[in-house]
Amino acid sequence: MRLLPSGSAALLVELDGLDDVLALYAALSADPPPGVLDVVPAARTVLLVTDPAATSLAAVAEAVRATTPRPDAQTTGDSVELPVHYDGADLAEAAELLGLTPAGLVERHTGATWTVAFCGFAPGFGYLTQPGGAWDVPRRSTPRTKVPPGSVALAGEFSGVYPRESPGGWQLIGRTDVAVFDLGREPAALLRPGTRVRFVEVSR
Amino acid sequence: MSLTVLATGPLTTVQDLGRPGQAALGIGRSGVCDRASAALANRLLGNPADAAVLEVTFGGLAVRAEADLLVVTTGARCPGAPHAAPVVLRRGQELRLGTPVSGLRTYLAVRGGITVEPVLGSRATDVLAGLGPPVVAAGDVLPVGAPVAPAPGVDLAPVPEPAPGELTVSVLPGPRADWFGDAGWAGLTGQAWSVTSESNRVGLRLDGTPLERLRTGELPSEGMVRGALQVPPSGLPVLFLADHPVTGGYPVIGYVTDADVDRCAQLRPGQSLRLRSR
């Protein structure tokens, strides 16, 4: 664990990988140090955003060092099932990049549980990983200017669902009718760090 | 009680202290760009700190009171505005903000606060995420709440106004300062950066001599807060303000100290910014 400076109001904790991020995030978000407003996990880091009037960065650093990570977080989060129509525009290409048939890709995508490692890009957009998933899909060389909402996509080691229409460079493999972000629902964001996701193929 | 909007100028939004605590869901804090000025406006009216105000960019807002309302402006002083000195706007009376003499963002606060419907716990309009109340438009009728505390009875608050010309603020090293080395830090802190016209509530885009990276390769996205000086491949830093993305994939070389971000939010395109190492 390395503590990196992030100005007068935040502290960035750098870790070895996603598993460590999730484990530290689970512990810190369950019991945030006093004066911490936000705990923001990402691919290799956890950012702690403080209220400078309520705490000091030194106190927060000490609290982080004293925190025991929770490696069980990956198996104890809420579970969500997302029905997917696997008819994405990039399904064939993504399958080929992985050395699979389209049916083989669907089988692998639905075959094991994914975990939301962190969120970002847009409200409610989760970066999902599959432990030992062996996913490694390059982004599209030219991003699309409009990706439809509900698109299920792949990039790098991640899978994700676009919460709303937006530009995007991920490979589109399908779509779900479930709104992953809905302001009319409590909570609005279906996918939060630690949530486990199972994709299920809608019969064609 | 309400306020009818007659004109908005280039951009007027409803803002409060934002929605902290949801960044892990990809939802940024947003809120007023110049927190100190907005806080002063609410204090002058006896409003709670989280009462929503109007953030007016480069003047031009015109409103009509639909009831007797106590109002005040802070931040960039506009001709015609009750600047740092609360006044009662009588029912039917109009208030028209001219173009500010210096500074960029003016806060118009109303006693009782603007009480449009909150979204995810806040009345802040996040222009990057497209969350919160819609951008204020002519014809809008903005509801005003009931006061919750006695008015403090302050006639005038003497506060420094945003200055024209060059602004100098303090900068601290960021998490990836080492990607740029000593030469990069010297470049960051040794020149007068020019604020470009592509700046907005998301961030100030700075122009100057580009900063060179010592290392190549990609940085996995990581969390940021306002004040971050992120360096994209162009080498020209972006200073993030209230509607910054929750995470970013370019290295952050430094951070403007939190209190100084408020002053940066008053910079206009064409003004210069010096970042002094602290």
Side-chain angles (χ1 to χ4, degrees), chain B residues 49-138:
Chain B
D50 62 352
V53 301
L54 294 180
E55 183 179 279
V56 184
T57 314
F58 210 53
L61 176 76
V63 293
R64 184 178 64 231
E66 305 300 349
D68 290 0
L69 299 171
L70 186 66
V71 301
V72 71
T73 63
T74 56
R77 178 198 288 267
C78 297
H83 199 76
V87 299
V88 174
L89 211 53
R90 295 291 170 196
R91 181 177 175 185
Q93 202 179 338
E94 294 180 4
L95 175 66
R96 289 179 180 273
L97 306 189
T99 303
V101 180
S102 63
L104 182 65
R105 295 185 165 96
T106 305
Y107 294 91
L108 173 65
V110 185
R111 181 160 155 78
I114 305 287
T115 53
V116 294
E117 199 59 34
V119 176
L120 297 176
S122 162
R123 298 185 169 95
T125 301
D126 184 333
V127 299
L128 180 74
L131 268 185
V135 168
V136 175

Side-chain angles (χ1 to χ4, degrees), chain A residues 80-82 123-125 161 163 176-192, chain B residues 22 25 27 119-121:
Chain A
V80 170
E81 202 170 86
L82 292 179
F125 186 95
V161 182
T176 179
D177 296 328
V178 175
V180 290
F181 190 74
D182 179 358
L183 287 171
R185 183 182 60 206
E186 179 60 43
L190 195 60
L191 308 179
R192 38 188 67 215
Chain B
Q22 304 179 64
L25 307 177
I27 299 164
V119 176
L120 297 176

Side-chain angles (χ1 to χ4, degrees), chain B:
Chain B
M1 292 196 291
S2 64
L3 207 56
T4 299
V5 178
L6 307 173
T8 63
L11 176 70
T12 295
T13 54
V14 179
Q15 297 293 343
D16 59 13
L17 294 179
R19 35 185 83 79
Q22 304 179 64
L25 307 177
I27 299 164
R29 175 163 174 176
S30 186
V32 290
C33 275
D34 176 353
R35 288 181 194 164
S37 293
L40 173 65
N42 277 327
R43 272 204 309 279
L44 285 170
L45 300 180
N47 283 344
D50 62 352
V53 301
L54 294 180
E55 183 179 279
V56 184
T57 314
F58 210 53
L61 176 76
V63 293
R64 184 178 64 231
E66 305 300 349
D68 290 0
L69 299 171
L70 186 66
V71 301
V72 71
T73 63
T74 56
R77 178 198 288 267
C78 297
H83 199 76
V87 299
V88 174
L89 211 53
R90 295 291 170 196
R91 181 177 175 185
Q93 202 179 338
E94 294 180 4
L95 175 66
R96 289 179 180 273
L97 306 189
T99 303
V101 180
S102 63
L104 182 65
R105 295 185 165 96
T106 305
Y107 294 91
L108 173 65
V110 185
R111 181 160 155 78
I114 305 287
T115 53
V116 294
E117 199 59 34
V119 176
L120 297 176
S122 162
R123 298 185 169 95
T125 301
D126 184 333
V127 299
L128 180 74
L131 268 185
V135 168
V136 175
D140 286 356
V141 177
L142 302 172
V144 172
V148 294
V154 178
D155 293 337
L156 175 71
V159 283
E161 290 177 30
E166 189 171 282
L167 174 70
T168 301
V169 297
S170 299
V171 64
L172 298 164
R176 308 299 165 191
D178 59 337
W179 283 44
F180 301 89
D182 292 343
W185 190 254
L188 181 74
T189 56
Q191 61 177 306
W193 296 95
S194 176
V195 176
T196 76
S197 58
E198 280 98 85
S199 304
N200 55 22
R201 281 182 46 85
V202 176
L204 295 181
R205 290 178 186 276
L206 305 179
D207 197 10
T209 307
L211 305 177
E212 276 182 45
R213 269 197 203 180
L214 294 182
R215 51 196 282 184
T216 53
E218 288 197 27
L219 180 73
S221 290
E222 54 194 29
M224 297 187 298
V225 280
R226 72 173 199 155
L229 287 154
Q230 192 193 53
V231 185
S234 67
L236 299 172
V238 178
L239 168 54
F240 280 119
L241 299 179
D243 290 354
H244 66 84
V246 174
T247 58
Y250 297 125
V252 171
I253 184 174
Y255 264 92
V256 171
T257 55
D258 197 49
D260 276 350
V261 179
D262 288 341
R263 299 161 71 208
C264 295
Q266 290 294 354
L267 288 172
R268 295 179 182 187
Q271 272 187 271
S272 336
L273 175 64
R274 276 192 184 273
L275 302 162
R276 190 176 51 204
S277 192
R278 197 181 84 172

